[in-house]
Amino acid sequence: MKNIDFGIDLGTTNSGIGRYENGKVQVLKNPVGLGEILPSVVSFYRGRTLVGNKAREQYLTNAGNVFGAFKRKMGTAENYAVTSAEGVTQLSPVDLSAYILKELKNYVPGTSIEAAVITIPASFDTIQSNATKQAGYQAGFKEVVLLQEPIAACLAYANLSNLNIEDEQKWLVYDFGGGTFDVALVYINKRELRVLDNRGNNFLGGVDIDHAFLAGTVVPKLSTITGDSDMWNKLVSKDGAYEKLWYYLGYKAEEAKKELSVSQTTWMEIDFPELEILTDIELSRDAINSAVKPKYKESEKFVIELLAENNLTFKDIERVILVGGTTYIPFIKDALRGLGVKVDDSIDPTTAVITGAAYFAGAHQQSEGVDDNPAAHVVNKIDVKLSYETYSNDLEELIAFKATDGFAGHYRITRADGGFDTGLLQFNQTANEFVTLLPKAKNNFKLSIYNNGQQPVFETTAITISHGLYGVAGQLLPEDICIELDSKEDNTYLEVIFKRNNILPLSKTLYKTFSRSIIKNSTDKLIINVVEGKSGTLPGSNLSIGYIAIEGSDLQGDLIQGTDVEIQLDIDESRGLKVDVYIPSTGQQISQSFHISAKEVNLEKMLLDIAAAENTLDAEIAESSKSEAYELSAMFQRIKEELQLLKQKIHETKNDKVTEERYRLDDTKRKLLSELDSLTRSRDVFMATSLYKKEKERYLAQEKYATAVQKAALKKIFDGEKELLQSGDKHLIKRATQELESLNDKIFLQNDEAFISLFWQLNSLPEFYYADISNLAELSEAGQKAIEKRDYLNLKHIVTVMFNKVDDVYKVRRNSDNEHFQHMQKNPTFKTGLS
């Protein structure tokens, strides 16, 4: 196997490709025009498809068939209509991105590129990531590995700069691109580079500055000149000729923005005969700054939040590395310097991500079967485990290996350039060898193993050690990955599977039980719903990335409540999800891989999410009105009304199989449920935490009665207490509280004197609390005598009899502080069948 070697920055406004070779990266140039940067624009003109600069120029004459910034729509079902003599063709963001990638492949003449590393914003969700991979496969790649853009930028900076790092440092990568913004917190020392955390916005970029510039300066000036006071409304409605004018002005605004980055003033020439507009507009840097400032402030907020959540200040940051074309704007550089931190713009912000992607590709092996020629290799007859560092700053590095148990023979290690050769050496099962490295280069080695008859039994050429170059210790998972489960309150909650900022790839096995019985061939369903978002929030406000509905007709036998199910979840480095379900009681195995490249929306599930939210809202409105919190009640009422309107639209959309309306409705639902969650979650977490602390106090008061086994179980709960209470997940805290409560009850009943307290509680109840009052007086008298004699065995029997006589209505543990959260279920609720 060989390394991938090719890295691609698939950007919102510009794209590019680089190649890693012999320890260095070359940003490749377009064979036509020799430019390194390819505008991410596609146009269709007279039966031809144009990509890049030629396509971008079409904004001036053929705006209706020119498409750019489609990266911002990756992962959605939105299509772009291409009009031609044959009619109208619908193209997706994936289709258009594939055109860009195909064009970049042409930058490498005479070479068939089988695999590539393609970068994505750190804030891309799983569906957007999968859509990017799909574009790569559609462009003809057999393998696509995704890399987060801040990691690529770090690799570029670390490997291009002459760093002399002895102590640990923390950097910020400030990546303000054409369509997206990312900021990453990076740890680096003399050997390792690691991303610790990141934040971002997929709809904050240079395009947004262009639009703000048009709205705030260009269009008002043009309206004054033309006398058309309604010009902005006509432009944003994109009606007729104004749609062409919108793209025309966008092109002009972007050019003016670039000029104002180096000059204080510029002139925008507007020649648009279709609306008889011919004029010049003078523009100043102050005008562009007025558009930049609010967008910069949005980015600064992400930077400050990132530092705060990691308990850092700007004093802890060694430098801020600028990436992305928008960072050329002087206002942004000056504003960042004003934060009191070193701003480093020493690398080219437009090619940094390309370069970093190629460095990553140079150390990333292609998968088996991709560009693999079996005839060129020895058929391996033994298993060998290898160990070595892929990156090193030393001129010698250790390669260690272990062969199949009991194997004895010979080995030979050679460097591809012929500068190192061990010769044939004897070994027994294990061996290690220090190999010499070429400085500042990628060193490729071949290990050959022979049996004692000098016959080859193993060979690999996949040993690559890069000298003096930084690698990266994995990519971060940008959001929690959770599974939806049934709760005891007759609704569902999220249990975290993989936590945000874990290093990809990830794997975990869950053991759950069926919360209800599902009969074979019934219409009931077992639902496995894996979501991406934030644990502790409402399930419906998160993004579903893996949804399996197992119908009764799919079952090989009945699923009985309380029996077990095993769920294996795997997420690869590029965020592909695989779910394996094993049902031991029936022996049934279900496997499904998810590479969803556009949102899949289940309208029935949406309606159930809304029904559950309406139950919560009814209770919240009643409680807030009762406590005269009228402003809060009005907020809940508004959300309820919007959900009711949304429900009506969902019913109207049930038969719509053509438009993208269901995706817009799903986004609206998630937004409204997120608002509801924000209004209630802090309070609910506070209540759950209070109940937990009460149970802890109860334990401490009776700790002396606990057994060693019970103390060990409680210690396990208390050891994770800090993380538990900081999780903000009320369901997680409730489960710990229930476990603590159960242990407390057992400890309480181990204390003989506890039954004295229980007896007096039961004895003091009014008669109407009892369903059966026969011989109650005799039991009372007998209990008092048992207490006098310390006859605990008899007392336990009396207490049990008295408790059994209490009406079931009064046996339920009451808690006035929590009573308002026990919602009456007036609407149908969604149940997964798992707990």
Short mmCIF file of all heavy atoms in Angstrom, two decimals, residues 422-441:
data_model
loop_
_atom_site.label_atom_id
_atom_site.label_comp_id
_atom_site.label_asym_id
_atom_site.label_seq_id
_atom_site.Cartn_x
_atom_site.Cartn_y
_atom_site.Cartn_z
N THR A 422 20.01 -3.02 6.03
CA THR A 422 20.53 -3.83 7.14
C THR A 422 21.28 -5.05 6.65
O THR A 422 22.07 -5.65 7.40
CB THR A 422 19.37 -4.32 8.04
OG1 THR A 422 18.50 -5.14 7.26
CG2 THR A 422 18.61 -3.16 8.63
N GLY A 423 21.05 -5.44 5.40
CA GLY A 423 21.52 -6.74 4.98
C GLY A 423 20.62 -7.81 5.58
O GLY A 423 19.65 -7.52 6.29
N LEU A 424 20.93 -9.08 5.34
CA LEU A 424 20.10 -10.18 5.81
C LEU A 424 20.53 -10.56 7.22
O LEU A 424 21.67 -10.94 7.45
CB LEU A 424 20.25 -11.38 4.86
CG LEU A 424 19.11 -12.40 4.87
CD1 LEU A 424 17.79 -11.74 4.46
CD2 LEU A 424 19.44 -13.56 3.93
N LEU A 425 19.58 -10.45 8.18
CA LEU A 425 19.88 -10.71 9.58
C LEU A 425 18.95 -11.78 10.13
O LEU A 425 17.77 -11.83 9.78
CB LEU A 425 19.72 -9.43 10.41
CG LEU A 425 20.64 -8.26 10.04
CD1 LEU A 425 20.26 -7.02 10.84
CD2 LEU A 425 22.09 -8.63 10.30
N GLN A 426 19.50 -12.62 11.01
CA GLN A 426 18.71 -13.69 11.60
C GLN A 426 17.94 -13.18 12.81
O GLN A 426 18.42 -12.29 13.53
CB GLN A 426 19.64 -14.83 12.02
CG GLN A 426 18.92 -16.12 12.37
CD GLN A 426 19.88 -17.30 12.52
OE1 GLN A 426 21.10 -17.11 12.50
NE2 GLN A 426 19.35 -18.50 12.65
N PHE A 427 16.74 -13.76 13.06
CA PHE A 427 15.97 -13.38 14.27
C PHE A 427 15.03 -14.52 14.64
O PHE A 427 14.71 -15.39 13.83
CB PHE A 427 15.19 -12.09 14.02
CG PHE A 427 13.90 -12.26 13.26
CD1 PHE A 427 12.67 -12.08 13.88
CD2 PHE A 427 13.90 -12.59 11.90
CE1 PHE A 427 11.48 -12.23 13.19
CE2 PHE A 427 12.71 -12.74 11.20
CZ PHE A 427 11.50 -12.56 11.84
N ASN A 428 14.61 -14.47 15.91
CA ASN A 428 13.64 -15.43 16.44
C ASN A 428 12.39 -14.67 16.91
O ASN A 428 12.43 -14.02 17.95
CB ASN A 428 14.23 -16.24 17.60
CG ASN A 428 15.31 -17.21 17.14
OD1 ASN A 428 15.15 -17.86 16.13
ND2 ASN A 428 16.41 -17.28 17.90
N GLN A 429 11.38 -14.70 16.13
CA GLN A 429 10.04 -14.14 16.41
C GLN A 429 10.02 -12.62 16.53
O GLN A 429 9.19 -11.96 15.92
CB GLN A 429 9.44 -14.76 17.69
CG GLN A 429 7.96 -14.40 17.84
CD GLN A 429 7.30 -15.12 19.00
OE1 GLN A 429 7.84 -16.08 19.56
NE2 GLN A 429 6.13 -14.65 19.36
N THR A 430 10.92 -12.01 17.33
CA THR A 430 10.91 -10.55 17.50
C THR A 430 12.27 -9.97 17.12
O THR A 430 13.31 -10.64 17.23
CB THR A 430 10.60 -10.15 18.95
OG1 THR A 430 11.62 -10.65 19.81
CG2 THR A 430 9.24 -10.69 19.38
N ALA A 431 12.23 -8.71 16.67
CA ALA A 431 13.47 -7.99 16.35
C ALA A 431 13.18 -6.50 16.36
O ALA A 431 12.04 -6.06 16.26
CB ALA A 431 13.99 -8.42 14.98
N ASN A 432 14.24 -5.71 16.50
CA ASN A 432 14.12 -4.26 16.37
C ASN A 432 15.40 -3.71 15.77
O ASN A 432 16.47 -4.29 15.93
CB ASN A 432 13.80 -3.59 17.72
CG ASN A 432 14.82 -3.92 18.78
OD1 ASN A 432 15.93 -3.42 18.75
ND2 ASN A 432 14.44 -4.79 19.72
N GLU A 433 15.25 -2.60 15.07
CA GLU A 433 16.37 -2.05 14.32
C GLU A 433 16.26 -0.53 14.28
O GLU A 433 15.19 0.03 13.99
CB GLU A 433 16.34 -2.59 12.89
CG GLU A 433 17.57 -2.27 12.08
CD GLU A 433 18.75 -3.17 12.43
OE1 GLU A 433 18.54 -4.39 12.64
OE2 GLU A 433 19.88 -2.66 12.52
N PHE A 434 17.37 0.17 14.60
CA PHE A 434 17.43 1.61 14.42
C PHE A 434 17.77 1.91 12.97
O PHE A 434 18.80 1.45 12.46
CB PHE A 434 18.45 2.25 15.35
CG PHE A 434 17.94 2.48 16.74
CD1 PHE A 434 18.20 1.58 17.76
CD2 PHE A 434 17.17 3.60 17.02
CE1 PHE A 434 17.71 1.79 19.03
CE2 PHE A 434 16.67 3.83 18.30
CZ PHE A 434 16.94 2.91 19.31
N VAL A 435 16.89 2.68 12.31
CA VAL A 435 17.13 3.04 10.91
C VAL A 435 17.50 4.51 10.84
O VAL A 435 17.05 5.32 11.66
CB VAL A 435 15.89 2.75 10.04
CG1 VAL A 435 15.57 1.27 10.06
CG2 VAL A 435 14.68 3.55 10.51
N THR A 436 18.33 4.88 9.88
CA THR A 436 18.72 6.29 9.71
C THR A 436 17.72 6.98 8.78
O THR A 436 17.20 6.37 7.84
CB THR A 436 20.14 6.41 9.14
OG1 THR A 436 20.18 5.74 7.88
CG2 THR A 436 21.15 5.79 10.08
N LEU A 437 17.50 8.28 9.05
CA LEU A 437 16.50 9.05 8.31
C LEU A 437 17.14 10.18 7.53
O LEU A 437 18.11 10.81 7.99
CB LEU A 437 15.47 9.64 9.28
CG LEU A 437 14.75 8.67 10.21
CD1 LEU A 437 13.79 9.44 11.12
CD2 LEU A 437 13.99 7.62 9.42
N LEU A 438 16.61 10.44 6.35
CA LEU A 438 16.97 11.64 5.61
C LEU A 438 16.31 12.83 6.29
O LEU A 438 15.11 12.78 6.60
CB LEU A 438 16.50 11.55 4.17
CG LEU A 438 17.19 10.50 3.28
CD1 LEU A 438 16.44 10.37 1.96
CD2 LEU A 438 18.64 10.90 3.04
N PRO A 439 17.03 13.92 6.56
CA PRO A 439 16.44 15.06 7.27
C PRO A 439 15.40 15.79 6.41
O PRO A 439 15.52 15.88 5.19
CB PRO A 439 17.64 15.96 7.57
CG PRO A 439 18.67 15.57 6.56
CD PRO A 439 18.46 14.12 6.27
N LYS A 440 14.33 16.25 7.10
CA LYS A 440 13.27 17.04 6.46
C LYS A 440 12.70 16.33 5.23
O LYS A 440 12.53 16.94 4.17
CB LYS A 440 13.78 18.43 6.07
CG LYS A 440 14.10 19.34 7.25
CD LYS A 440 12.85 19.79 7.98
CE LYS A 440 13.16 20.76 9.10
NZ LYS A 440 11.94 21.19 9.82
N ALA A 441 12.45 15.05 5.37
CA ALA A 441 11.96 14.28 4.23
C ALA A 441 11.09 13.13 4.73
O ALA A 441 11.12 12.76 5.91
CB ALA A 441 13.11 13.74 3.40
#
